[in-house]
């Protein structure tokens, strides 16, 4: 079977820095995968390359067999790839409901009607626990709520692949656990393929998914949480040699 | 909504105005309405689209010149129809905006202060160009532009008198004002707000930011072109000042004083500033511009949403659940 997302020979250099270096990866449809790695290992650059924010120097990215390398971001988004940014990127002046209506348009203004109150929006509001605040301006939400709203916006976009860049950055422990549960739910019941970038160990453990360890622009190791955690090379690189990670 | 009530009251007052005001003031307010329409065009692109165009008179002046060229029969002496003139004066500036916008917004594009400076420079260049283009009257401009002929099916009805002119212009302005209100509350308005808020994010939801910017820039230019065309039919005269620096900054001041994010406020900003100019300049002479400058600074520093929009919003606050103060 053809891989859902297949990346081969991907290179991206900034000045003298090889941010992504001969990178290979493939994801199966319906999978949930996390990429972990220290700051500066090339994780966010990888997302920028997949979503078209950056053009690779070399290599190809195939999405469902189609070459999307170097396409502009809006075209990649229309093909069914959604992306969540590290800093919550919601539209502050719009209401929560409007924030969900916008991605549901999928980049095309087909009707003059401003449809913000439909069954789908209501279901998503419910899923991201923002029903009570549906008419609030997004700028008035708390940080954690904004993160959830952005996840809701991705759902409204109805993508087949979701890329999440540190979705729990700045969240409390309870919020982090709830977010992990939400992401598993999106993946399992929604059938959406999910790729997460994260370096919060608690969160990664709660995702209960295969991990890829990234370092210096390449995949260093892959495996489940336990095997990665016990890997010496990974400990040295990521957790620090002698210290075991704190839960 | 209270908002609609205020709008109706204001336009009703404008409709009733000729009953109380004499021909002179009716004539003056015809100009003010056109300036109001021009202000609406800037409010659309700047207040809603977040694109600060400091050379909005480019499109006003282009519309004015095109209207003059067509209705004076300077190219086709037999085709001087007002409707044709309006059509050319609307599509011409829109096409100019598309071409300009493509250079300004394509690729990474420019924005903010850079965009403002470039558009301002273009306005200055065009003003110089028109001053030296002798076939189009050069510095003196073009005289004897015929008034608007609103006749249909071979009948002719030229707008010479103050009263019918006023009502025709008012009808056009009201129609476009309502259309703009529908547009900004539609899904397109939603996208525009998002564009102003977070342009980079929009692309990742599948929106072509270039396309949206071009559409709003061209729509705004079309409106500005129409106001320029209406202006020259009322004034009978087009000159390089209509395309240049000072009108570009003036409209910016009207819109900033009124409130750029609220169509009604931007419109009233133009009307009230021009109206005040009349009697304040009589009272204070040249100090009038000082007062205008102070009002502009006050609106930028103290009430960035606008001197008119702020009280209007307080008056018409929509009842929507607002978060408790944290």
């Amino acid at each position: 079977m053809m891989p859902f997302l297949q990346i081969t020979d991907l290179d991206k250099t900034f000045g003298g820095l090889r941010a992504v270096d001969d990178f290979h990866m493939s994801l199966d449809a319906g999978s949930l995968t996390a990429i972990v790695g220290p700051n500066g290992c090339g994780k966010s650059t990888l997302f920028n390359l997949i979503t078209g924010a950056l053009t690779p120097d070399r290599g190809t990215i195939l999405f469902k067999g189609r070459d999307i390398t170097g396409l502009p971001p809006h075209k990649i988004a229309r093909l069914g790839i959604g992306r969540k940014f590290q800093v919550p990127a919601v539209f502050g002046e719009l209401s929560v409901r409007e924030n969900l209506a916008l991605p549901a348009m999928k980049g095309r203004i087909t009707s003059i009607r401003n449809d913000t109150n439909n069954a789908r929006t209501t279901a998503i509001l419910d899923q991201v626990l923002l029903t009570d605040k549906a008419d609030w301006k997004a700028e008035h939400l708390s940080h954690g709520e904004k993160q959830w709203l952005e996840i809701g916006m991705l759902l409204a976009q109805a993508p087949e692949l979701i890329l999440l860049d540190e979705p729990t950055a700045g969240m409390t422990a309870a919020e982090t656990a709830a977010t992990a549960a939400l992401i598993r739910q999106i993946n399992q019941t929604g059938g959406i393929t999910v790729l997460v970038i994260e370096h919060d160990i608690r969160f990664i453990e709660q995702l209960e998914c295969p991990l890829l360890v990234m370092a210096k622009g390449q995949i260093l190791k892959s495996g489940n949480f336990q095997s990665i955690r016990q890997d010496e090379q990974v400990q040295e690189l990521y957790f620090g040699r002698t210290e075991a990670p704190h839960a | 909504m209270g908002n609609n009530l205020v709008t109706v009251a204001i336009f009703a007052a404008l409709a009733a105005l000729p009953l109380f005001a004499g021909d002179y003031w009716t004539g003056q307010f015809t100009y003010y309405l056109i300036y109001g329409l021009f202000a609406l065009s800037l409010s659309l692109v700047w207040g809603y689209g977040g694109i600060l165009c400091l050379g909005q008179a480019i499109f006003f002046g282009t519309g004015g010149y095109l209207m003059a060229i067509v209705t004076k029969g300077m190219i086709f002496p037999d085709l001087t129809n007002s409707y044709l003139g309006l059509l050319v004066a609307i599509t011409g500036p829109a096409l100019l905006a598309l071409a300009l916008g493509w250079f300004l917004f394509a690729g990474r594009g420019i924005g903010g202060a850079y965009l403002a400076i470039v558009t301002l420079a273009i306005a200055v260049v065009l003003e110089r160009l028109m001053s030296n283009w002798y076939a189009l009257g050069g510095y003196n401009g073009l005289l004897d532009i015929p008034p608007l002929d609103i006749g249909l099916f071979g009948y002719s009805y030229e707008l010479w008198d103050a009263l019918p002119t006023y009502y025709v212009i008012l009808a056009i302005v009201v129609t476009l004002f309502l259309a703009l209100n529908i547009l900004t509350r539609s899904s397109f308005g939603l996208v525009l707000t998002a564009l102003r808020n977070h342009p980079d994010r929009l692309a990742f939801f599948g929106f072509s930011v270039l396309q949206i910017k071009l559409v709003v820039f061209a729509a705004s230019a079309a409106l500005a072109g129409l106001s320029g065309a209406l202006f020259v039919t009322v004034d009978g005269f087009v000159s390089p000042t209509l395309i240049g620096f000072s009108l570009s900054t003036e409209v910016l001041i009207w819109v900033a004083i009124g409130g750029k994010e609220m169509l009604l406020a931007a419109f009233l900003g133009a009307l009230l500033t021009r109206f005040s100019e009349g009697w304040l300049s009589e009272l204070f002479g040249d100090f009038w511009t000082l007062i205008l400058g102070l009002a502009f600074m006050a609106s930028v520093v103290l009430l960035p949403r606008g001197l008119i929009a702020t009280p209007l919003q307080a008056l018409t606050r929509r009842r929507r659940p607002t978060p408790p103060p944290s």
Side-chain angles (χ1 to χ4, degrees):
Chain A
M1 201 183 103
M2 183 199 311
F4 189 65
L5 181 76
Q6 186 168 36
I7 299 176
T8 41
D9 303 329
L10 201 67
D11 277 353
K12 182 70 188 177
T13 309
F14 298 109
L17 176 77
R18 310 202 76 167
V20 169
D21 186 6
D22 199 24
F23 184 91
H24 294 258
M25 184 180 83
S26 78
L27 294 181
D28 291 329
S31 61
L32 168 61
T33 315
I35 297 182
V36 295
N39 282 327
C41 73
K43 292 174 301 194
S44 291
T45 304
L46 176 67
F47 271 19
N48 283 333
L49 291 169
I50 298 174
T51 55
L54 292 172
T55 312
D57 300 331
R58 192 174 73 95
T60 50
I61 303 167
L62 299 181
F63 177 60
K64 295 196 294 178
R66 180 176 169 172
D67 190 355
I68 60 165
T69 323
L71 285 182
H74 70 275
K75 290 202 172 146
I76 293 179
R78 284 181 192 178
L79 289 173
I81 298 182
R83 173 183 187 178
K84 183 184 166 337
F85 287 79
Q86 198 170 328
V87 179
V90 299
F91 300 103
E93 282 182 52
L94 297 179
S95 73
V96 168
R97 209 183 274 284
E98 287 168 334
N99 265 285
L100 295 173
L102 192 86
M105 291 161 67
K106 298 190 175 194
R108 291 197 168 87
I109 300 164
T110 46
S111 135
I112 195 95
R113 222 176 115 231
N114 200 346
D115 186 13
T116 56
N117 197 1
N118 54 36
R120 231 178 93 67
T121 309
T122 309
I124 293 171
L125 280 170
D126 205 39
Q127 198 174 0
V128 296
L129 309 179
L130 285 170
T131 306
D132 292 345
K133 297 177 178 175
D135 294 316
W136 283 31
K137 276 193 174 183
E139 63 194 2
H140 296 302
L141 296 178
S142 75
H143 179 82
E145 287 168 338
K146 281 181 189 163
Q147 297 276 44
W148 276 52
L149 173 57
E150 202 183 355
I151 294 174
M153 289 160 81
L154 291 189
L155 294 175
Q157 195 185 344
E160 294 177 61
L161 170 65
I162 284 183
L163 308 175
L164 302 169
D165 193 347
E166 302 195 9
T168 61
M171 281 189 178
T172 63
E175 285 172 335
T176 301
T179 306
L182 175 65
I183 291 170
R184 286 204 312 273
Q185 185 197 353
I186 289 168
N187 172 246
Q188 281 156 19
T189 56
I192 299 171
T193 311
V194 181
L195 181 61
V196 186
I197 286 178
E198 187 57 75
H199 58 210
D200 177 351
I201 290 302
R202 282 175 316 193
F203 175 63
I204 287 165
E205 186 172 12
Q206 287 158 354
L207 279 179
E208 298 163 14
C209 71
L211 301 186
L212 301 171
V213 180
M214 195 170 173
K216 292 179 184 160
Q218 289 180 324
I219 302 280
L220 189 74
K221 289 277 178 218
S222 61
N224 64 23
F225 185 79
Q226 284 309 321
S227 73
I228 293 288
R229 187 172 165 160
Q230 280 151 14
D231 189 284
E232 266 188 38
Q233 204 183 352
V234 174
Q235 281 187 14
E236 182 183 346
L237 171 87
Y238 188 68
F239 304 121
R241 183 184 275 278
T242 49
E243 254 184 310
H246 297 287
Chain B
M1 273 186 291
N3 207 349
N4 291 342
L5 217 63
V6 173
T7 309
V8 168
I10 285 166
F11 281 105
L14 283 171
L17 182 115
L19 302 178
F20 309 103
D23 264 9
Y24 172 75
W25 280 109
T26 305
Q28 287 301 302
F29 266 87
T30 308
Y31 285 110
Y32 301 163
L33 287 175
I34 295 171
Y35 287 131
L37 185 62
F38 184 33
L40 286 175
S41 81
L42 184 63
S43 171
L44 176 68
V45 72
W46 180 29
Y48 287 83
I51 300 166
L52 173 51
C53 177
L54 250 179
Q56 193 69 0
I58 297 168
F59 308 114
F60 186 89
T62 308
Y65 271 101
L66 287 173
M67 186 73 185
I69 291 166
V70 172
T71 56
K72 278 171 71 73
M74 292 173 73
I75 296 175
F76 302 106
D78 299 328
L79 277 175
T80 58
N81 186 294
S82 280
Y83 294 115
L84 178 70
L86 288 177
L87 185 71
V88 173
I90 291 168
T91 48
L95 291 175
L96 177 65
L98 282 181
L100 258 179
W102 202 83
F103 279 107
L104 296 173
F105 307 136
R108 294 199 72 86
I110 58 168
Y114 298 102
L115 185 72
I117 290 165
V118 171
T119 48
L120 184 65
I122 293 169
V124 172
V125 168
L126 279 180
E127 189 173 358
R128 301 283 302 173
L129 176 75
M130 297 322 288
S131 299
N132 291 292
W133 192 338
Y134 294 109
L136 294 178
Y139 183 77
N140 294 318
L142 297 168
L143 293 161
D144 300 325
I145 298 164
L148 210 57
D149 185 343
I150 56 163
L152 276 173
F153 311 115
Y155 292 96
S156 171
Y157 184 82
E158 288 193 330
L159 294 173
W160 285 103
D161 297 324
L163 208 59
T165 310
Y166 178 82
Y167 280 112
V168 167
I169 300 287
L170 182 64
I172 294 172
V173 169
V174 169
T175 310
L176 288 169
F177 178 83
L178 294 178
L180 278 176
N181 261 289
I182 292 170
L183 186 76
T184 52
R185 288 179 196 179
S186 72
S187 52
F188 183 68
L190 198 68
V191 174
L192 280 188
T193 310
L195 176 73
R196 186 179 67 213
N197 249 209
H198 222 312
D200 300 332
R201 185 72 182 95
L202 213 46
F204 295 95
F205 286 128
F207 292 92
S208 164
V209 173
L210 173 65
Q211 218 173 59
I212 299 164
K213 281 186 175 174
L214 285 180
V215 167
V216 67
F217 198 45
S220 156
L223 269 182
L226 173 65
S227 22
L230 295 175
F231 184 90
V232 300
T233 62
V234 172
D235 210 32
F237 173 55
V238 62
S239 74
T241 52
L242 295 190
I243 211 167
F245 172 81
S246 61
L247 185 61
S248 292
T249 47
E250 269 182 78
V251 68
L252 193 86
I253 290 174
W254 305 336
V255 172
I257 286 180
K260 62 181 187 295
E261 288 119 359
M262 192 179 185
L263 291 169
L264 185 63
F267 175 74
L268 289 178
L271 259 67
L272 292 182
T273 313
R274 290 315 300 239
F275 178 65
S276 316
E277 190 178 331
W279 56 271
L280 281 179
S281 62
E282 263 175 38
L283 279 177
F284 298 103
D286 284 344
F287 284 109
W288 143 250
T289 45
L290 191 67
I291 296 171
L292 184 65
L294 287 174
F296 178 59
M297 279 159 62
S299 87
V300 170
V301 176
L302 300 173
L303 295 170
R305 292 196 152 265
L307 294 184
I308 297 172
T310 310
L312 265 186
Q313 274 164 349
L315 192 70
T316 64
R317 191 171 300 284
R318 274 196 272 171
R319 288 207 186 87
R320 93 176 352 189
T322 41
S326 47

